[in-house]
Amino acid sequence: MTRVTAGSVVFEQVTKRFAGFDAIPNLSLTVEPGTLVTLLGPSGCGKTTTLRLLAGLEHPTSGRILIGGKDVTQLPANERDVAMVFQSYALFPHMSALDNILYGLQASGMNKREAQDRAREGLKLVGLETQGNRLPSELSGGQQQRIAVARALVLEPQVLLLDEPLSNLDERLRRRVRTDIRDLQQRLGFTAVYVTHDQEEALAVSDKIIVMKEGDIAQQGAPESLYHAPNSVFIADFMGEANILPCEVEQLEGSDAWVRLGSQRYRVRGNGVQPGTAQLSVRPQFITLREEGAGALRGEVTHCTWLGDHIEYEVATELGSLFIVDAHMEQQLPLNSAVAIDFKPQGLALIAG
Ligand SMILES: Nc1ncnc2c1ncn2[C@@H]1O[C@H](COP(=O)(O)OP(=O)(O)O)[C@@H](O)[C@H]1O
Ligand SMILES: [Mg+2]
């Protein structure tokens, strides 16, 4: 039986400098045992470097890395008790699925009999027990990905590392495989560090998301907290589309704040913002438009795009242009029409000015 020894991960003031370029200026982070933590951020922000530092494929310029409480900073990759799933899968094309899984086990010195048992279990774990004799080219992209995950898991690592594991799959399959990976991780309870640049993917699979920007942590927390309580315009924008509007914080009430937006007052999470001028992130799905009547704001439709299951609008207002997504589609508002605009409080997030 494949056993799981879920280890923790700690980075203590880790830096990584490449030929005069600070890829990681100063990074401290913690991954709790048995959780899936995502490193999320735009291309070039240091996600792969962080994962390679953890895997021992790169070594820090300074700082310490601990896995399962043990300092591994000086240890080579093969002594770290982690396994990596690569973006390209890196399966051996001339070996069957089973032999691909077997390879790493035998390379680690396990006897043939035990390795074969373990490899078969690995196939079963990912639901491919009947496909063991196939070559990678005879498997779908999603199945190849599952073989790559099985090959890593049978090594019983303390931490599983996944670098953009879905990027070679088409859109539909991506959703399937990300659910599979998350199910497997929750069922077996292993620790995983998952790298992606796709915020939806991060929201879907993570216990905690660490958003990186230029090698630093821009914000970290549970998916909901990043979406609803972004600490900056960068995070609000990165975690889904957002309109950023100037607003006035009139009053604090407990951990909430009263803000004025147009003619209306809204009670929103305070997010530590003080009374005075601030910014409000407004999610496009939480704005409603009507042709008639009074709203928080008035505006004029400047663009309208019908996209089958939703309509996207751009509306000019006194607070600037608003991007609005209408998924209900009870009516399509014509270009240049005057509209009344309202905001649903659950789509508003306060950010310091
Ligand atoms: N071996 C290297 N030598 C020099 N610069 C590197 C090397 N590896 C990565 N970098 C640089 O470090 C930064 C972070 O890269 P990377 O970790 O690959 O980003 P991400 O995975 O988030 O796209 C980039 O600017 C990249 O060009
Ligand atoms: Mg990368």
Side-chain angles (χ1 to χ4, degrees):
M1 187 59 201
T2 301
R3 284 173 301 114
V4 166
T5 44
S8 58
V9 172
V10 175
F11 274 47
E12 285 178 1
Q13 302 189 335
V14 169
T15 72
K16 179 65 186 176
R17 171 169 280 263
F18 292 116
F21 170 71
D22 259 341
I24 307 289
N26 187 350
L27 185 64
S28 296
L29 61 83
T30 301
V31 177
E32 300 296 337
T35 62
L36 191 155
V37 172
T38 298
L39 304 177
L40 171 68
S43 177
C45 73
K47 306 180 295 294
T48 296
T49 302
T50 303
L51 211 59
R52 289 172 61 81
L53 285 165
L54 184 49
L57 301 170
E58 299 283 357
H59 289 275
T61 308
S62 64
R64 294 208 311 160
I65 297 174
L66 292 86
I67 296 174
K70 179 177 163 196
D71 187 338
V72 299
T73 315
Q74 303 304 331
L75 289 185
N78 60 358
E79 290 174 31
R80 291 216 177 177
D81 205 8
V82 299
M84 188 126 159
V85 176
F86 294 93
Q87 189 168 348
S88 58
Y89 318 145
L91 297 177
F92 296 114
H94 59 285
M95 283 186 195
S96 71
L98 186 70
D99 286 344
N100 263 283
I101 300 175
L102 205 51
Y103 182 85
L105 291 169
Q106 282 185 318
S108 75
M110 188 180 284
N111 77 54
K112 197 165 175 179
R113 176 89 188 275
E114 196 188 340
Q116 286 208 330
D117 288 348
R118 188 89 79 84
R120 286 215 179 76
E121 259 176 50
L123 275 175
K124 203 164 153 196
L125 214 54
V126 296
L128 292 175
E129 56 268 48
T130 60
Q131 315 288 314
N133 292 328
R134 298 208 175 184
L135 293 174
S137 60
E138 298 168 324
L139 297 169
S140 72
Q143 289 172 327
Q144 290 177 44
Q145 180 58 270
R146 283 196 261 164
I147 296 296
V149 170
R151 182 176 60 177
L153 277 180
V154 292
L155 299 173
E156 299 182 346
Q158 287 198 53
V159 185
L160 186 69
L161 311 179
L162 304 112
D163 192 2
E164 309 256 4
L166 309 185
S167 53
N168 287 331
L169 304 176
D170 66 44
E171 174 89 42
R172 220 168 275 218
L173 201 52
R174 243 180 265 166
R175 189 164 308 165
R176 177 75 257 141
V177 177
R178 86 182 179 208
T179 309
D180 285 349
I181 292 175
R182 178 58 163 166
D183 282 353
L184 201 60
Q185 184 268 329
Q186 289 189 313
R187 186 153 56 82
L188 300 179
F190 56 82
T191 308
V193 181
Y194 188 111
V195 162
T196 181
H197 64 275
D198 183 313
Q199 55 88 18
E200 185 186 297
E201 198 177 313
L203 290 174
V205 300
S206 312
D207 292 299
K208 177 167 94 174
I209 300 174
I210 298 177
V211 186
M212 295 182 68
K213 185 186 178 190
E214 294 166 10
D216 276 323
I217 296 179
Q219 189 174 356
Q220 58 181 317
E224 300 79 10
S225 74
L226 291 184
Y227 190 82
H228 288 299
N231 66 4
S232 64
V233 169
F234 171 77
I235 296 289
D237 231 17
F238 200 75
M239 299 307 299
E241 299 219 47
N243 297 283
I244 305 297
L245 300 180
C247 73
E248 190 70 21
V249 177
E250 295 189 334
Q251 192 187 336
L252 301 181
E253 193 174 322
S255 60
D256 290 346
W258 285 96
V259 297
R260 179 165 293 283
L261 190 57
S263 68
Q264 305 287 316
R265 294 175 86 221
Y266 296 91
R267 185 181 173 147
V268 299
R269 284 200 226 188
N271 291 348
V273 177
Q274 293 305 305
T277 1
Q279 301 181 92
L280 209 51
S281 150
V282 184
R283 298 290 179 197
Q285 300 80 358
F286 295 90
I287 306 175
T288 53
L289 289 181
R290 274 173 300 113
E291 216 164 1
E292 301 291 334
L297 276 182
R298 296 201 62 78
E300 184 184 317
V301 175
T302 56
H303 289 92
C304 172
T305 312
W306 182 86
L307 287 158
D309 61 355
H310 70 277
I311 302 173
E312 295 180 355
Y313 292 101
E314 276 172 54
V315 175
T317 75
E318 59 177 286
L319 296 180
S321 176
L322 287 181
F323 174 64
I324 298 165
V325 173
D326 175 14
H328 302 296
M329 303 178 76
E330 272 148 25
Q331 57 174 346
Q332 184 166 356
L333 298 165
L335 213 53
N336 301 322
S337 56
V339 286
I341 301 159
D342 279 302
F343 304 96
K344 295 183 181 165
Q346 67 268 39
L348 304 177
L350 197 53
I351 300 170

